[in-house]
Amino acid sequence: MAEFESSSSSLVPAGLRRMTTTGMRNNRRSSTRAGAFLTDVDLGGPAAPEKGVYKVEDAVLPNMDSNSPSSLPEAANIERVRDNVMSTLEFSNQHTLENWKAEFYSEASTGVICDSFWWIVSNFFQQSKELETEQKLFTRVAQNYVTIFLHVHPARKDSFFARYPDAVAQSIFYSLYLAFPKSRSKFTAPFRTDLLVMLSEWMSGLRPAQPSTRHWKLDLGAGNVLRQTVTQTGSTLRSSASLPGTSTPSRELGGTLPTLSASVNLQMSVGRRGKREPQVFQYSILVKHFLEQKRHKGQSVRPLRLLLTKLTEAEKAVDAKYEKFTEIATESADKCQEMMRNYDEMTEDLKREMRNLREETNKHIRLLEKRKEQVLHTDVHEYSNYLVSMWTMQDEAQGHIAMGEV
């Protein structure tokens, strides 16, 4: 059960609250600058959460005295949330996907998602007014997480837990967004990143060097509402960048390509090495909290101390640059597929219209042929008199019109 433990792994929920929410509250103050949601406008989600609760600050925490597990608000349907998460994950084959999905949809995993959701609501948005409930929620998250860890087959542990923190973070964020439509301006891009970092540290003990939520998608009928305008490292991409070898900005994709500054290129050229910091591998925060609650005094895993090299600013800039390239390539492929679908639809409409015109033309041809046969089989003098009478009527009609004008 060996997992990575960062220097903050000894924190219990109260201490963890102070650690994880400082940056999140700072990001809340700057949400109008860096966030994806600048207003409280409903972009197409459910009409209202249960019991008329529209704001996350007004949410009522679950009753922890009962033995029944907590659940998400009615507007945040757990099946819809998990299905949306699955659509953002990539797997090498269908068999791996089905195994991963079975564990993600398990009862213990549902408990992790629901209790973590309410912990976030209490800790960040309600300033821990009900601290005892918050601590019980964290304890139950730890218990369910250990249950999952013991249940997953050893051969599938690496594959499952590599994606699991991101999946839980997505589930919590989507649930918040669906359940509290009038608080959506608080659920910004920095908040998403902080949420992912916190869940990763809870479950693995490791804070991701470059957390990314670019693959998160939430379509409420008007496209992905989580479309980002800034990189996950917090630095805005240069807006004047152009395609390599050209001077024309890339406007068709709704953005521009990033470039590296001269100082960053200089740092890369001299090969400056990142700072090495000591870290301890042992238990994750959730596992350690579970062992403390169960009063396990013995340690089955000995601490392992290693020196880890941190990424330099130059390396982060390079990763951000090529991550943006990947995003642009994906958008290009999506746009190409959309254009092909539109072309196919227009082609089908044109073919349908041509078929209708051919049918109409053939109909008139058949009518003319039928009329021709009728004329040929009747008396020619009678048909001539008919034509003369028609011309006479037309001339009289035109004469009446001319007299009326006079």
Side-chain angles (χ1 to χ4, degrees), residues 271-277 308-313 315:
R272 181 176 298 177
R273 187 175 183 179
K275 183 180 179 181
R276 302 182 69 188
E277 295 183 353
L308 301 183
T309 303
K310 297 183 64 176
L311 290 176
T312 64
E313 292 301 322
E315 292 170 332

Side-chain angles (χ1 to χ4, degrees), residues 314-334:
E315 292 170 332
K316 292 181 180 180
V318 171
D319 287 346
K321 171 185 176 182
Y322 287 103
E323 186 177 7
K324 184 63 176 178
F325 284 149
T326 303
E327 181 183 0
I328 291 175
T330 302
E331 291 179 359
S332 299
D334 293 341

Side-chain angles (χ1 to χ4, degrees), residues 137-147 285-287 289-290:
L137 287 168
F138 186 83
T139 298
R140 204 156 65 179
V141 170
Q143 292 173 348
N144 283 318
Y145 178 76
V146 172
T147 300
I285 294 175
L286 291 177
V287 172
H289 183 72
F290 173 81

Side-chain angles (χ1 to χ4, degrees), residues 94-356:
Q94 186 67 22
H95 180 69
T96 303
L97 185 151
E98 293 299 332
N99 287 332
W100 199 96
K101 183 177 180 179
E103 300 293 348
F104 183 55
Y105 281 61
S106 66
E107 183 178 353
S109 180
T110 302
V112 169
I113 294 172
C114 295
D115 289 336
S116 299
F117 169 88
W118 289 112
W119 190 94
I120 292 294
V121 170
S122 172
N123 181 275
F124 180 57
F125 298 103
Q126 297 182 358
Q127 288 72 47
S128 302
K129 294 180 180 179
E130 299 184 30
L131 184 57
E132 183 179 355
T133 298
E134 185 178 301
Q135 292 175 338
K136 290 181 179 179
L137 287 168
F138 186 83
T139 298
R140 204 156 65 179
V141 170
Q143 292 173 348
N144 283 318
Y145 178 76
V146 172
T147 300
I148 298 171
F149 189 87
L150 296 176
H151 184 265
V152 176
H153 192 278
R156 298 197 297 268
K157 270 187 168 59
D158 289 343
S159 173
F160 180 80
F161 288 103
R163 300 178 177 90
Y164 192 59
D166 177 85
V168 175
Q170 285 194 62
S171 301
I172 295 173
F173 181 84
Y174 299 154
S175 300
L176 289 169
Y177 193 87
L178 294 171
F180 308 112
K182 288 192 175 182
S183 297
R184 290 176 180 176
S185 60
K186 296 180 173 65
F187 309 144
T188 63
F191 171 76
R192 297 198 294 271
T193 303
D194 288 340
L195 186 62
L196 175 59
V197 170
M198 189 191 72
L199 267 297
S200 298
E201 190 168 8
W202 278 13
M203 298 179 184
S204 68
L206 177 66
R207 295 175 67 87
Q210 290 185 280
S212 175
T213 61
R214 290 184 181 275
H215 60 287
W216 292 17
K217 296 179 181 179
L218 182 59
D219 191 347
L220 301 180
N224 181 23
V225 298
L226 307 185
R227 186 177 180 85
Q228 301 180 19
T229 57
V230 294
T231 62
Q232 293 305 311
T233 56
S235 60
T236 305
L237 296 174
R238 292 178 58 182
S239 60
S240 59
S242 303
L243 290 168
T246 68
S247 59
T248 304
S250 175
R251 299 176 181 174
E252 293 296 326
L253 299 176
T256 55
L257 299 179
T259 59
L260 298 180
S261 63
S263 60
V264 170
N265 286 321
L266 178 60
Q267 291 180 22
M268 293 176 61
S269 64
V270 298
R272 181 176 298 177
R273 187 175 183 179
K275 183 180 179 181
R276 302 182 69 188
E277 295 183 353
Q279 298 289 352
V280 179
F281 288 83
Q282 190 180 16
Y283 298 116
S284 69
I285 294 175
L286 291 177
V287 172
K288 183 163 186 172
H289 183 72
F290 173 81
L291 294 176
E292 291 174 349
Q293 293 296 312
K294 296 299 181 180
R295 304 182 189 278
H296 291 291
K297 296 181 179 180
Q299 291 188 351
S300 59
V301 178
R302 297 179 58 183
L304 176 63
R305 297 182 179 275
L306 294 177
L307 291 176
L308 301 183
T309 303
K310 297 183 64 176
L311 290 176
T312 64
E313 292 301 322
E315 292 170 332
K316 292 181 180 180
V318 171
D319 287 346
K321 171 185 176 182
Y322 287 103
E323 186 177 7
K324 184 63 176 178
F325 284 149
T326 303
E327 181 183 0
I328 291 175
T330 302
E331 291 179 359
S332 299
D334 293 341
K335 185 174 182 179
C336 179
Q337 293 177 357
E338 182 180 0
M339 293 176 66
M340 289 297 297
R341 286 193 296 269
N342 293 337
Y343 172 79
D344 292 338
E345 292 176 358
M346 293 176 63
T347 302
E348 289 299 323
D349 292 341
L350 181 60
K351 289 181 179 179
R352 190 180 304 107
E353 185 177 354
M354 292 177 64
R355 284 195 299 269
N356 293 336

